[in-house]
Amino acid sequence: MGKVLIIGAGGVGTVVVNKVAQNPDIFTEVVLASRTKSKCDAIVEAIGDKRIKTAQVDADNVDELVKLFNEHKPDIVINVALPYQDLTIMDACLACGVNYLDTANYEPVDEAKFEYKWQWAYQDRFREAGLTAILGCGFDPGVSGIYTAYAAKHHFKEMQYLDIVDCNAGDHGKAFATNFNPEINIREVTQKGKYFENGKWIYTEPHEIHKPLTYPNIGAKESYLIYHEELESLVKNFPTLKRARFWMTFGQEYLTHLRVIQNIGMARIDPIIYNGVEIVPIQFLKAVLPDPGELGQNYTGETSIGCRIRGIGKDGKELTYYIYNNCSHHEAFLETGAQGVSYTTGVPAMIGAMMFLKGLWKKPGVFNVEEFDPDPFMEQLNKQGLPWHEVFNQDLEL
Ligand code: NDP
């Protein structure tokens, strides 16, 4: 059906390649490219699919990307490198007539912003070129937006309150490790909290607001209000929302490590001079922390991510609705060699590319996932390893 180029050979890239290989009728040709080609070769070797080609590319460099795209002529690029590379890859897509999908919004290297403005600015160029760009197609952002679109389409006349709840009740046995790229993860969780209420953004100190929330099959876990990028597009695309918030669970041990890392300056994203060489402390820290892609082996427990929504149902009555997926780290590892957080990101990225190649999510311009029809995507979630469950009219605790 189509040719896909995957950029990035980390934890998420590993899952994307595995899932693309499991769907050979859709992804008839596959190329995996990243900064370190040996990592691409190791992933392909583990899968044992001789159809998959590998390549080296520095995705910060548009000329290198253009050369790669012209050589392989993919229909769509799945960008699972880092958020710093989003714009260069989008530029190369425009130069070569290639469609685009990613799982995280563009981030400037020296500012932690988590805003879509840079990528939304590509709207006219993608539309005029007749190309589709699908933004934020992991789990959160990604499935969180698709769940919300599904709820709006099938259950609600008016959605009023949205809480995205993200619990990782897994144990990887390390004193401290992050579940995806440490640099991006630490930037995300140490920034100020922010949520949307009555048309305004309300700011909080980091981790200031927290409460125990009960997760299916897991129980109660302390959950912290943090800012997450999909809130920006969801409140724009669902203007009836009076309030939208994002909650994530953290263990006490994780928070203590994080506080120390911040207090000693290791979370800094601005360059410092060390022995005459410019280094960025958080990038150095990444080099000494466990590789998230390697955590899978002994990872036990599961993740539970979902949307809790309150509003007026299609029948005109008050409705509370909870839709979620639970994902076992161990089962994800057995299937792909990667842990649950990489799995819950990589599977939706593959499904998004499948939606595009099937012509179901194809329209010129730059779009967040909730702007497409959620139904065919939801159907694939059940088939591709991330089944979802719905609960109606239960206390949402929020
Ligand atoms: P990793 O750090 O494990 O992997 C990133 C990969 O990108 C590495 O292979 C790295 O190469 C490669 N890379 C980095 N810079 C470049 C470059 N300049 N050129 C080419 N390749 C490059 O990250 P993850 O796999 O954990 O995360 C991947 C993406 O997924 C991130 O953007 C992250 O924010 C996003 N994410 C999204 C989630 C969601 O639910 N939406 C959840 C989790 C992650 P090398 O091996 O040489 O370092």
Side-chain angles (χ1 to χ4, degrees):
M1 192 171 271
K3 182 165 188 172
V4 64
L5 168 65
I6 300 153
I7 303 182
V12 179
T14 302
V15 174
V16 173
V17 185
N18 270 273
K19 299 306 285 193
V20 157
Q22 287 175 20
N23 290 276
D25 48 331
I26 306 289
F27 303 99
T28 39
E29 290 179 83
V30 185
V31 183
L32 171 62
S34 192
R35 181 166 55 191
T36 316
K37 184 171 177 293
S38 57
K39 291 195 188 172
C40 303
D41 294 335
I43 294 171
V44 174
E45 165 122 24
I47 297 172
D49 185 338
K50 299 245 175 329
R51 294 178 317 131
I52 307 171
K53 298 195 180 107
T54 61
Q56 196 278 329
V57 73
D58 175 2
D60 288 319
N61 184 320
V62 179
D63 292 340
E64 279 194 31
L65 288 164
V66 166
K67 193 162 161 273
L68 179 77
F69 290 9
N70 283 336
E71 193 180 324
H72 293 284
K73 304 210 176 315
D75 295 299
I76 187 165
V77 168
I78 300 181
N79 167 18
V80 281
L82 297 181
Y84 313 131
Q85 281 89 47
D86 288 4
L87 300 189
T88 44
I89 297 176
M90 289 176 86
D91 285 336
C93 282
L94 286 169
C96 303
V98 176
N99 300 282
Y100 174 86
L101 178 147
D102 68 28
T103 66
N105 68 197
Y106 169 71
E107 277 285 286
V109 175
D110 54 358
E111 278 179 275
K113 288 279 191 188
F114 298 97
E115 285 178 12
Y116 279 114
K117 68 175 179 216
W118 290 279
Q119 291 183 278
W120 284 346
Y122 280 67
Q123 171 67 267
D124 290 348
R125 278 172 281 167
F126 269 76
R127 196 181 50 239
E128 280 155 22
L131 295 171
T132 303
I134 302 170
L135 305 185
C137 197
F139 207 105
D140 45 346
V143 177
S144 54
I146 293 155
Y147 282 170
T148 307
Y150 185 81
K153 181 173 174 181
H154 295 283
H155 301 308
F156 284 93
K157 196 154 102 185
E158 186 180 320
M159 283 194 307
Q160 296 169 334
Y161 300 93
L162 166 68
D163 286 280
I164 300 169
V165 292
D166 178 332
C167 169
N168 182 2
D171 181 6
H172 46 56
K174 311 266 184 209
F176 182 81
T178 62
N179 293 292
F180 65 95
N181 183 278
E183 202 182 321
I184 306 301
N185 188 203
I186 292 172
R187 282 165 77 123
E188 180 178 277
V189 301
T190 55
Q191 65 175 334
K192 283 202 168 196
K194 182 172 137 184
Y195 65 98
F196 181 83
E197 193 163 41
N198 296 328
K200 287 199 301 267
W201 291 102
I202 318 275
Y203 291 82
T204 71
E205 286 309 308
H207 312 143
E208 182 188 337
I209 299 179
H210 54 98
K211 59 165 75 178
L213 296 177
T214 313
Y215 296 90
N217 204 34
I218 291 168
K221 291 274 174 194
E222 201 62 20
S223 307
Y224 295 80
L225 187 150
I226 65 168
Y227 179 65
H228 223 242
E229 63 203 56
E230 66 264 52
L231 294 179
E232 185 184 9
S233 67
L234 287 170
V235 299
K236 179 170 155 259
N237 289 321
F238 299 101
T240 58
L241 284 172
K242 294 182 180 166
R243 190 182 66 201
R245 304 180 294 189
F246 187 100
W247 304 81
M248 190 177 271
T249 61
F250 302 115
Q252 273 315 310
E253 190 67 3
Y254 179 90
L255 289 176
T256 304
H257 275 81
L258 211 55
R259 201 170 59 245
V260 174
I261 285 168
Q262 271 186 296
N263 286 346
I264 61 175
M266 286 305 294
R268 280 175 61 172
I269 59 177
D270 53 318
I272 56 147
I273 302 296
Y274 174 74
N275 278 353
V277 182
E278 202 176 80
I279 62 161
V280 176
I282 199 168
Q283 289 175 358
F284 176 76
L285 177 68
K286 173 185 182 282
V288 295
L289 285 176
D291 177 351
E294 312 269 293
L295 294 175
Q297 182 90 52
N298 299 310
Y299 218 137
T300 56
E302 55 192 346
T303 63
S304 179
I305 316 176
C307 294
R308 300 184 185 187
I309 305 172
R310 189 153 54 90
I312 310 295
K314 293 273 187 216
D315 60 1
K317 295 195 187 121
E318 270 255 323
L319 173 67
T320 68
Y321 175 73
Y322 180 21
I323 178 165
Y324 67 91
N325 160 266
N326 275 30
C327 177
S328 150
H329 288 290
H330 186 60
E331 279 172 31
F333 176 73
L334 292 180
E335 185 188 330
T336 63
Q339 35 85 0
V341 176
S342 304
Y343 190 88
T344 53
T345 311
V347 172
M350 179 281 290
I351 299 176
M354 174 192 276
M355 292 296 107
F356 172 78
L357 290 176
K358 284 184 165 183
L360 298 166
W361 280 24
K362 192 173 188 172
K363 49 183 180 182
V366 173
F367 302 100
N368 293 87
V369 290
E370 65 271 17
E371 295 174 83
F372 295 97
D373 181 7
D375 292 358
F377 196 106
M378 294 289 280
E379 192 187 317
Q380 285 299 322
L381 283 171
N382 281 335
K383 290 185 180 156
Q384 304 286 345
L386 294 176
W388 42 273
H389 312 276
E390 296 175 295
V391 182
F392 294 87
N393 290 324
Q394 185 186 288
D395 176 16
L396 296 180
E397 307 172 297
L398 288 157

